[in-house]
Amino acid sequence: MDDMEELLIITMEECGELIQACSKAIRCDDYHSNRTREKLTEEIGDLQCMIELLHEYDLVSWNDIEERVKIKKEKLKKWSKLYE
């Protein structure tokens, strides 16, 4: 396995772990407990590390990501109640 393959596989695994933590919070109706906050923080931190590595390996650009964030926020304003 080369570095790029390992990088992408670990990133996928970290995405899955964050999905699992979110799902468990919903399933247990436990959004604000210390345990949920700790688990979300852990998984988001792990994923953030992988995103930073994706940048270091020149697979993504911070500028492109920032532009995409702007686009997503506009979509959320239109289709979600998160930005009311």
Coordinates of all heavy atoms in Angstrom, one line a residue:
M1 N 0.9 -1.2 0.0 CA 0.0 0.0 0.0 C 0.9 1.2 0.0 O 1.8 1.3 0.8 CB -0.9 0.0 1.3 CG -1.7 1.2 1.5 SD -2.7 1.3 3.0 CE -3.1 -0.4 3.4
D2 N 0.6 2.2 -0.9 CA 1.4 3.4 -0.9 C 0.8 4.4 0.1 O -0.3 4.2 0.6 CB 1.5 3.9 -2.3 CG 0.2 4.5 -2.9 OD1 -0.7 4.7 -2.2 OD2 0.2 4.6 -4.2
D3 N 1.5 5.5 0.2 CA 1.1 6.6 1.2 C -0.3 7.1 0.9 O -1.1 7.4 1.8 CB 2.1 7.7 1.2 CG 3.4 7.3 1.9 OD1 3.5 6.2 2.5 OD2 4.4 8.1 1.8
M4 N -0.5 7.4 -0.4 CA -1.8 8.0 -0.8 C -3.0 7.1 -0.5 O -4.0 7.5 0.0 CB -1.8 8.4 -2.3 CG -0.9 9.4 -2.6 SD -1.3 11.0 -1.9 CE -0.2 12.1 -2.8
E5 N -2.8 5.8 -0.8 CA -3.8 4.8 -0.5 C -4.1 4.7 1.0 O -5.2 4.7 1.5 CB -3.4 3.5 -1.0 CG -4.5 2.4 -1.0 CD -4.1 1.1 -1.7 OE1 -3.5 1.2 -2.8 OE2 -4.3 0.1 -1.1
E6 N -3.0 4.7 1.8 CA -3.1 4.6 3.3 C -3.8 5.9 3.8 O -4.7 5.8 4.6 CB -1.8 4.5 3.9 CG -1.9 4.4 5.4 CD -0.5 4.2 6.1 OE1 0.5 4.3 5.5 OE2 -0.6 3.8 7.3
L7 N -3.5 7.1 3.3 CA -4.1 8.3 3.7 C -5.6 8.3 3.4 O -6.4 8.7 4.3 CB -3.4 9.5 2.9 CG -4.0 10.9 3.1 CD1 -3.9 11.3 4.5 CD2 -3.2 11.8 2.2
L8 N -6.0 7.9 2.2 CA -7.4 7.9 1.9 C -8.2 6.8 2.7 O -9.3 7.1 3.1 CB -7.6 7.7 0.4 CG -7.1 8.8 -0.5 CD1 -7.1 8.5 -1.9 CD2 -7.9 10.1 -0.2
I9 N -7.6 5.7 2.9 CA -8.2 4.6 3.7 C -8.5 5.1 5.1 O -9.6 5.0 5.7 CB -7.4 3.3 3.7 CG1 -7.6 2.7 2.3 CG2 -7.9 2.3 4.7 CD1 -6.6 1.5 2.1
I10 N -7.4 5.7 5.8 CA -7.6 6.1 7.1 C -8.6 7.3 7.2 O -9.4 7.3 8.1 CB -6.2 6.5 7.7 CG1 -5.3 5.3 7.9 CG2 -6.4 7.2 9.1 CD1 -3.9 5.6 8.2
T11 N -8.6 8.1 6.2 CA -9.6 9.2 6.2 C -11.0 8.6 6.1 O -11.9 9.1 6.8 CB -9.3 10.2 5.0 OG1 -8.0 10.7 5.1 CG2 -10.4 11.3 4.9
M12 N -11.2 7.6 5.3 CA -12.5 7.0 5.2 C -12.9 6.4 6.5 O -14.0 6.5 7.0 CB -12.5 5.9 4.1 CG -12.4 6.4 2.7 SD -12.6 5.0 1.5 CE -11.2 4.0 1.8
E13 N -11.9 5.7 7.2 CA -12.2 5.1 8.5 C -12.6 6.2 9.5 O -13.6 6.0 10.3 CB -11.0 4.4 9.0 CG -10.8 3.1 8.2 CD -9.4 2.5 8.5 OE1 -8.6 3.0 9.3 OE2 -9.2 1.3 8.0
E14 N -11.9 7.3 9.5 CA -12.2 8.4 10.4 C -13.6 9.0 10.2 O -14.4 9.3 11.1 CB -11.2 9.5 10.4 CG -9.8 9.0 10.9 CD -9.8 8.4 12.3 OE1 -10.7 8.7 13.1 OE2 -8.9 7.7 12.7
C15 N -14.0 9.1 8.9 CA -15.3 9.6 8.5 C -16.4 8.6 9.1 O -17.4 9.1 9.7 CB -15.5 9.7 7.0 SG -14.6 11.0 6.2
G16 N -16.1 7.3 9.0 CA -17.0 6.3 9.5 C -17.2 6.4 11.0 O -18.3 6.3 11.5
E17 N -16.1 6.7 11.7 CA -16.1 6.8 13.1 C -16.9 8.0 13.6 O -17.7 8.0 14.6 CB -14.7 6.8 13.7 CG -14.1 5.4 13.6 CD -12.6 5.4 14.0 OE1 -12.2 6.4 14.7 OE2 -11.9 4.5 13.7
L18 N -16.8 9.1 12.8 CA -17.6 10.3 13.1 C -19.1 10.0 12.9 O -20.0 10.4 13.6 CB -17.1 11.5 12.3 CG -17.9 12.8 12.6 CD1 -18.0 13.2 14.0 CD2 -17.3 13.9 11.7
I19 N -19.4 9.4 11.8 CA -20.8 9.0 11.4 C -21.4 8.1 12.6 O -22.5 8.4 13.0 CB -20.8 8.2 10.1 CG1 -20.5 9.1 8.9 CG2 -22.2 7.5 9.9 CD1 -20.3 8.4 7.6
Q20 N -20.6 7.2 13.1 CA -21.0 6.3 14.2 C -21.3 7.1 15.4 O -22.3 6.9 16.1 CB -20.0 5.2 14.4 CG -20.4 4.2 15.5 CD -19.4 3.1 15.6 OE1 -18.2 3.4 15.4 NE2 -19.8 2.0 16.0
A21 N -20.4 8.1 15.8 CA -20.6 8.9 17.0 C -21.9 9.7 16.8 O -22.7 9.9 17.8 CB -19.4 9.8 17.2
C22 N -22.1 10.3 15.7 CA -23.4 11.1 15.4 C -24.6 10.2 15.5 O -25.6 10.6 16.2 CB -23.3 11.8 14.0 SG -22.1 13.1 13.9
S23 N -24.5 9.1 14.9 CA -25.7 8.1 15.0 C -26.0 7.7 16.4 O -27.2 7.7 16.8 CB -25.3 6.9 14.1 OG -26.4 6.0 14.2
K24 N -25.0 7.4 17.2 CA -25.2 7.0 18.6 C -25.8 8.1 19.4 O -26.7 7.9 20.2 CB -23.9 6.6 19.2 CG -24.1 5.9 20.6 CD -22.8 5.3 21.1 CE -23.1 4.6 22.4 NZ -21.9 4.0 22.9
A25 N -25.4 9.4 19.2 CA -26.0 10.5 19.9 C -27.5 10.6 19.5 O -28.3 10.9 20.4 CB -25.3 11.8 19.5
I26 N -27.8 10.4 18.3 CA -29.2 10.5 17.9 C -30.0 9.3 18.4 O -31.1 9.5 19.0 CB -29.4 10.5 16.3 CG1 -28.8 11.8 15.8 CG2 -30.8 10.4 15.9 CD1 -28.6 11.8 14.3
R27 N -29.5 8.1 18.3 CA -30.1 6.9 18.7 C -30.4 6.9 20.2 O -31.5 6.5 20.7 CB -29.3 5.7 18.3 CG -30.0 4.4 18.5 CD -29.2 3.2 18.0 NE -28.1 3.0 18.8 CZ -26.8 3.1 18.4 NH1 -26.5 3.5 17.2 NH2 -25.8 2.9 19.2
C28 N -29.5 7.5 21.0 CA -29.6 7.5 22.5 C -30.2 8.8 23.0 O -30.4 9.0 24.2 CB -28.2 7.3 23.1 SG -27.4 5.7 22.7
D29 N -30.6 9.7 22.0 CA -31.2 11.0 22.4 C -30.3 11.7 23.4 O -30.8 12.1 24.5 CB -32.6 10.8 22.9 CG -33.3 12.1 23.0 OD1 -33.0 13.1 22.2 OD2 -34.3 12.2 23.8
D30 N -29.0 11.7 23.1 CA -28.0 12.2 24.1 C -27.1 13.2 23.4 O -25.9 12.9 23.1 CB -27.2 11.0 24.6 CG -26.2 11.3 25.6 OD1 -26.4 12.3 26.4 OD2 -25.1 10.6 25.7
Y31 N -27.6 14.4 23.2 CA -26.9 15.4 22.4 C -25.9 16.2 23.2 O -24.9 16.6 22.7 CB -27.8 16.4 21.7 CG -28.8 15.7 20.8 CD1 -30.1 15.6 21.1 CD2 -28.4 15.1 19.6 CE1 -31.0 14.9 20.3 CE2 -29.3 14.5 18.8 CZ -30.6 14.4 19.1 OH -31.5 13.8 18.3
H32 N -26.2 16.4 24.5 CA -25.4 17.4 25.3 C -24.6 16.8 26.4 O -24.0 17.6 27.2 CB -26.3 18.5 25.8 CG -27.0 19.3 24.6 ND1 -26.2 20.1 23.8 CD2 -28.2 19.3 24.2 CE1 -27.1 20.6 22.9 NE2 -28.3 20.1 23.1
S33 N -24.6 15.5 26.6 CA -23.8 14.9 27.7 C -22.3 15.1 27.4 O -21.9 15.3 26.3 CB -24.1 13.5 27.8 OG -23.5 12.7 26.8
N34 N -21.6 15.1 28.5 CA -20.1 15.2 28.4 C -19.6 14.1 27.6 O -18.6 14.3 26.8 CB -19.5 15.2 29.8 CG -19.7 16.5 30.5 OD1 -19.9 17.5 29.9 ND2 -19.6 16.4 31.9
R35 N -20.1 12.9 27.7 CA -19.6 11.7 26.9 C -19.8 12.0 25.4 O -18.9 11.7 24.6 CB -20.3 10.4 27.4 CG -19.9 9.2 26.6 CD -18.4 8.9 26.8 NE -18.0 7.9 25.9 CZ -16.8 7.9 25.2 NH1 -16.0 8.9 25.4 NH2 -16.5 6.9 24.4
T36 N -21.0 12.5 25.0 CA -21.2 12.7 23.6 C -20.3 13.8 23.1 O -19.7 13.7 22.0 CB -22.7 13.1 23.4 OG1 -23.5 12.0 23.7 CG2 -22.9 13.5 22.0
R37 N -20.1 14.9 23.9 CA -19.2 16.0 23.5 C -17.8 15.5 23.3 O -17.1 15.8 22.4 CB -19.3 17.1 24.5 CG -20.6 17.9 24.4 CD -20.6 18.9 25.6 NE -21.9 19.5 25.7 CZ -22.2 20.7 25.3 NH1 -21.3 21.5 24.8 NH2 -23.5 21.2 25.5
E38 N -17.4 14.7 24.3 CA -16.0 14.1 24.2 C -15.8 13.2 23.0 O -14.8 13.3 22.3 CB -15.7 13.3 25.5 CG -15.5 14.1 26.7 CD -15.5 13.3 28.0 OE1 -15.4 12.1 27.9 OE2 -15.4 13.9 29.1
K39 N -16.8 12.4 22.7 CA -16.7 11.5 21.6 C -16.7 12.3 20.3 O -15.9 12.0 19.3 CB -17.8 10.4 21.6 CG -17.6 9.3 20.6 CD -16.4 8.5 20.9 CE -16.3 7.4 20.0 NZ -15.0 6.7 20.0
L40 N -17.6 13.2 20.1 CA -17.6 14.0 18.9 C -16.3 14.8 18.8 O -15.8 14.9 17.6 CB -18.8 15.0 19.0 CG -20.2 14.4 18.8 CD1 -21.3 15.4 19.0 CD2 -20.3 13.7 17.4
T41 N -15.8 15.4 19.8 CA -14.6 16.1 19.8 C -13.4 15.2 19.3 O -12.6 15.6 18.5 CB -14.3 16.8 21.1 OG1 -15.3 17.7 21.5 CG2 -12.9 17.5 21.1
E42 N -13.4 14.0 19.9 CA -12.4 13.0 19.5 C -12.4 12.7 18.0 O -11.4 12.8 17.3 CB -12.6 11.8 20.4 CG -11.6 10.6 20.0 CD -12.0 9.4 20.7 OE1 -12.5 9.4 21.9 OE2 -11.7 8.3 20.2
E43 N -13.6 12.4 17.6 CA -13.7 12.0 16.2 C -13.6 13.1 15.2 O -12.9 13.0 14.1 CB -15.1 11.3 15.9 CG -15.3 10.0 16.8 CD -14.2 9.0 16.7 OE1 -13.4 9.0 15.7 OE2 -14.1 8.1 17.5
I44 N -14.0 14.3 15.5 CA -13.8 15.5 14.7 C -12.3 15.8 14.7 O -11.8 16.2 13.6 CB -14.7 16.7 15.2 CG1 -16.1 16.4 14.9 CG2 -14.2 18.0 14.5 CD1 -17.1 17.3 15.6
G45 N -11.7 15.7 15.8 CA -10.2 16.0 15.8 C -9.4 15.0 15.0 O -8.5 15.4 14.2
D46 N -9.8 13.7 15.1 CA -9.1 12.7 14.2 C -9.4 13.0 12.8 O -8.4 12.9 11.9 CB -9.7 11.3 14.6 CG -9.2 10.8 16.0 OD1 -8.4 11.5 16.6 OD2 -9.7 9.8 16.4
L47 N -10.6 13.4 12.4 CA -10.9 13.7 11.0 C -10.2 14.9 10.6 O -9.6 15.0 9.4 CB -12.4 13.8 10.8 CG -12.8 14.1 9.4 CD1 -12.3 13.0 8.4 CD2 -14.4 14.1 9.3
Q48 N -10.1 16.0 11.4 CA -9.4 17.2 11.1 C -7.9 16.9 10.8 O -7.3 17.5 9.9 CB -9.6 18.2 12.2 CG -8.9 19.5 11.9 CD -9.5 20.3 10.8 OE1 -10.7 20.3 10.6 NE2 -8.6 21.0 10.0
C49 N -7.3 16.0 11.6 CA -6.0 15.6 11.4 C -5.8 15.0 10.0 O -4.8 15.4 9.3 CB -5.5 14.6 12.4 SG -3.9 13.9 12.2
M50 N -6.7 14.2 9.6 CA -6.6 13.6 8.3 C -6.9 14.6 7.2 O -6.2 14.6 6.1 CB -7.6 12.4 8.1 CG -7.4 11.3 9.1 SD -5.7 10.7 9.3 CE -5.4 10.2 7.6
I51 N -7.7 15.6 7.4 CA -8.0 16.6 6.4 C -6.7 17.5 6.2 O -6.3 17.8 5.1 CB -9.2 17.5 6.8 CG1 -10.5 16.7 6.7 CG2 -9.2 18.8 5.9 CD1 -11.7 17.4 7.3
E52 N -6.0 17.7 7.3 CA -4.7 18.5 7.3 C -3.7 17.7 6.5 O -2.9 18.2 5.7 CB -4.3 18.8 8.7 CG -5.1 19.9 9.3 CD -4.7 20.2 10.8 OE1 -3.7 19.7 11.2 OE2 -5.5 20.9 11.4
L53 N -3.7 16.3 6.7 CA -2.7 15.5 6.0 C -3.1 15.5 4.5 O -2.2 15.5 3.6 CB -2.7 14.1 6.5 CG -1.9 13.9 7.8 CD1 -2.1 12.5 8.4 CD2 -0.4 14.1 7.5
L54 N -4.4 15.5 4.1 CA -4.8 15.5 2.7 C -4.2 16.8 2.1 O -3.8 16.8 0.9 CB -6.3 15.5 2.6 CG -7.0 14.2 2.9 CD1 -8.5 14.4 3.1 CD2 -6.7 13.1 1.9
H55 N -4.2 17.9 2.9 CA -3.7 19.1 2.4 C -2.2 19.0 2.2 O -1.6 19.4 1.2 CB -4.0 20.3 3.3 CG -3.4 21.6 2.9 ND1 -2.3 22.0 3.5 CD2 -3.7 22.5 1.9 CE1 -1.9 23.2 3.0 NE2 -2.8 23.5 2.0
E56 N -1.5 18.5 3.2 CA 0.0 18.4 3.2 C 0.4 17.5 2.0 O 1.5 17.8 1.4 CB 0.5 17.8 4.5 CG 0.4 18.7 5.7 CD 0.9 18.1 7.0 OE1 1.7 17.1 7.0 OE2 0.4 18.6 8.0
Y57 N -0.4 16.5 1.7 CA 0.0 15.6 0.6 C -0.5 16.2 -0.8 O -0.5 15.6 -1.8 CB -0.6 14.2 0.8 CG 0.3 13.3 1.6 CD1 0.3 13.5 3.0 CD2 1.1 12.4 1.1 CE1 1.1 12.7 3.8 CE2 1.9 11.6 1.8 CZ 1.9 11.7 3.2 OH 2.7 11.0 4.0
D58 N -1.0 17.4 -0.7 CA -1.4 18.2 -1.9 C -2.6 17.6 -2.6 O -2.7 17.7 -3.9 CB -0.3 18.4 -2.9 CG -0.5 19.6 -3.8 OD1 -1.2 20.6 -3.3 OD2 0.1 19.6 -4.9
L59 N -3.5 16.9 -1.9 CA -4.7 16.4 -2.5 C -5.9 17.3 -2.5 O -6.8 17.2 -3.2 CB -5.1 15.1 -1.8 CG -4.2 13.9 -2.0 CD1 -4.6 12.7 -1.2 CD2 -4.1 13.5 -3.5
V60 N -5.8 18.3 -1.5 CA -6.8 19.3 -1.4 C -6.1 20.7 -1.2 O -5.0 20.7 -0.6 CB -7.9 19.1 -0.3 CG1 -8.7 17.8 -0.6 CG2 -7.2 19.0 1.1
S61 N -6.8 21.7 -1.5 CA -6.3 23.1 -1.3 C -7.2 23.8 -0.3 O -8.5 23.7 -0.3 CB -6.4 23.8 -2.7 OG -6.7 25.2 -2.5
W62 N -6.6 24.6 0.6 CA -7.4 25.3 1.6 C -8.3 26.3 1.0 O -9.4 26.5 1.4 CB -6.5 26.0 2.6 CG -5.7 25.1 3.6 CD1 -4.4 25.2 3.9 CD2 -6.2 24.0 4.4 NE1 -4.0 24.2 4.8 CE2 -5.2 23.5 5.1 CE3 -7.5 23.5 4.5 CZ2 -5.3 22.4 6.0 CZ3 -7.6 22.4 5.4 CH2 -6.5 21.9 6.1
N63 N -7.8 26.9 -0.1 CA -8.7 27.9 -0.8 C -9.9 27.2 -1.4 O -11.0 27.8 -1.3 CB -7.9 28.6 -1.9 CG -6.8 29.6 -1.3 OD1 -7.0 30.1 -0.2 ND2 -5.8 29.8 -2.1
D64 N -9.7 26.1 -2.0 CA -10.8 25.4 -2.6 C -11.8 24.9 -1.5 O -13.0 25.0 -1.7 CB -10.3 24.1 -3.4 CG -9.6 24.5 -4.7 OD1 -9.7 25.7 -5.1 OD2 -8.9 23.7 -5.2
I65 N -11.3 24.5 -0.4 CA -12.1 24.1 0.7 C -12.9 25.3 1.2 O -14.1 25.2 1.5 CB -11.3 23.4 1.8 CG1 -10.8 22.1 1.4 CG2 -12.2 23.3 3.1 CD1 -9.8 21.4 2.3
E66 N -12.3 26.4 1.4 CA -13.0 27.6 1.9 C -14.1 28.0 0.9 O -15.2 28.4 1.3 CB -12.0 28.8 2.1 CG -11.1 28.6 3.3 CD -10.0 29.7 3.3 OE1 -10.2 30.7 2.7 OE2 -9.1 29.4 4.1
E67 N -13.9 27.9 -0.4 CA -14.9 28.2 -1.4 C -16.1 27.2 -1.2 O -17.2 27.6 -1.3 CB -14.3 28.2 -2.8 CG -13.5 29.4 -3.1 CD -14.2 30.7 -3.0 OE1 -15.4 30.8 -3.5 OE2 -13.7 31.6 -2.3
R68 N -15.7 26.0 -1.0 CA -16.8 25.0 -0.9 C -17.6 25.2 0.4 O -18.8 25.0 0.4 CB -16.2 23.6 -0.9 CG -17.2 22.5 -0.9 CD -18.1 22.5 -2.1 NE -19.3 21.8 -1.8 CZ -20.4 21.8 -2.5 NH1 -20.4 22.4 -3.6 NH2 -21.4 21.1 -2.1
V69 N -17.0 25.6 1.4 CA -17.7 25.9 2.7 C -18.7 27.1 2.4 O -19.8 27.0 2.9 CB -16.7 26.3 3.8 CG1 -17.4 27.0 5.0 CG2 -15.9 25.1 4.3
K70 N -18.3 28.1 1.7 CA -19.2 29.2 1.3 C -20.4 28.6 0.6 O -21.6 29.0 0.8 CB -18.5 30.2 0.5 CG -17.5 31.0 1.3 CD -16.7 32.0 0.4 CE -15.6 32.6 1.1 NZ -14.8 33.5 0.2
I71 N -20.2 27.8 -0.4 CA -21.2 27.2 -1.2 C -22.2 26.4 -0.3 O -23.4 26.5 -0.4 CB -20.7 26.3 -2.3 CG1 -20.0 27.2 -3.4 CG2 -21.8 25.5 -3.0 CD1 -19.1 26.5 -4.4
K72 N -21.6 25.6 0.6 CA -22.4 24.7 1.5 C -23.3 25.6 2.4 O -24.5 25.3 2.6 CB -21.6 23.8 2.2 CG -22.3 22.8 3.1 CD -23.2 21.9 2.3 CE -24.0 20.9 3.1 NZ -24.9 20.1 2.3
K73 N -22.7 26.7 2.9 CA -23.5 27.6 3.8 C -24.7 28.2 3.1 O -25.8 28.3 3.7 CB -22.6 28.6 4.4 CG -21.7 28.2 5.5 CD -20.8 29.3 6.0 CE -19.9 28.8 7.2 NZ -19.1 29.8 7.7
E74 N -24.5 28.6 1.8 CA -25.6 29.1 1.1 C -26.7 28.1 0.8 O -27.9 28.4 0.9 CB -25.1 29.7 -0.3 CG -24.3 31.0 -0.1 CD -25.0 32.0 0.7 OE1 -26.2 32.3 0.3 OE2 -24.4 32.6 1.6
K75 N -26.3 26.8 0.6 CA -27.3 25.8 0.4 C -28.0 25.5 1.7 O -29.2 25.3 1.7 CB -26.6 24.5 0.0 CG -26.1 24.5 -1.5 CD -25.5 23.1 -1.8 CE -25.2 23.1 -3.3 NZ -24.7 21.7 -3.7
L76 N -27.3 25.5 2.8 CA -28.0 25.3 4.1 C -28.9 26.5 4.4 O -30.0 26.2 5.0 CB -26.9 25.2 5.2 CG -26.1 23.9 5.2 CD1 -25.0 24.0 6.2 CD2 -27.0 22.7 5.5
K77 N -28.6 27.7 4.1 CA -29.5 28.8 4.3 C -30.8 28.6 3.5 O -31.9 29.0 4.0 CB -28.8 30.1 3.9 CG -27.7 30.6 4.8 CD -27.0 31.8 4.3 CE -25.9 32.2 5.2 NZ -25.1 33.3 4.7
K78 N -30.7 28.0 2.3 CA -31.8 27.8 1.5 C -32.7 26.6 1.9 O -33.9 26.6 1.9 CB -31.4 27.6 0.0 CG -32.5 27.4 -0.9 CD -32.0 27.4 -2.3 CE -33.2 27.2 -3.3 NZ -32.7 27.2 -4.7
W79 N -32.0 25.5 2.3 CA -32.7 24.2 2.5 C -32.7 23.7 3.9 O -33.3 22.6 4.2 CB -32.0 23.1 1.6 CG -32.0 23.4 0.2 CD1 -31.0 23.9 -0.6 CD2 -33.2 23.4 -0.7 NE1 -31.4 24.1 -1.9 CE2 -32.7 23.8 -1.9 CE3 -34.5 23.1 -0.5 CZ2 -33.6 23.9 -3.0 CZ3 -35.3 23.1 -1.6 CH2 -34.9 23.5 -2.8
S80 N -32.2 24.4 4.9 CA -32.1 24.0 6.3 C -32.5 25.1 7.2 O -32.5 26.3 6.9 CB -30.6 23.6 6.5 OG -30.4 23.5 7.9
K81 N -32.8 24.7 8.4 CA -33.2 25.7 9.5 C -31.9 26.1 10.3 O -32.0 26.8 11.2 CB -34.2 25.1 10.4 CG -35.6 24.9 9.7 CD -36.6 24.3 10.6 CE -37.8 24.0 9.9 NZ -38.8 23.3 10.7
L82 N -30.8 25.5 9.9 CA -29.6 25.8 10.7 C -29.1 27.2 10.7 O -28.4 27.7 11.5 CB -28.5 24.8 10.3 CG -28.7 23.4 10.5 CD1 -27.6 22.5 9.9 CD2 -28.8 23.1 12.0
Y83 N -29.5 27.9 9.6 CA -29.0 29.3 9.4 C -30.2 30.3 9.3 O -30.2 31.2 8.5 CB -28.2 29.4 8.1 CG -26.7 29.1 8.3 CD1 -26.3 27.8 7.8 CD2 -25.9 29.9 8.9 CE1 -25.0 27.5 8.0 CE2 -24.5 29.6 9.0 CZ -24.1 28.4 8.6 OH -22.8 28.0 8.7
E84 N -31.2 30.1 10.2 CA -32.3 31.0 10.2 C -32.0 32.2 11.0 O -31.3 32.3 11.9 CB -33.5 30.3 10.8 CG -34.1 29.3 9.9 CD -35.5 28.8 10.4 OE1 -35.6 28.6 11.6 OE2 -36.3 28.5 9.6

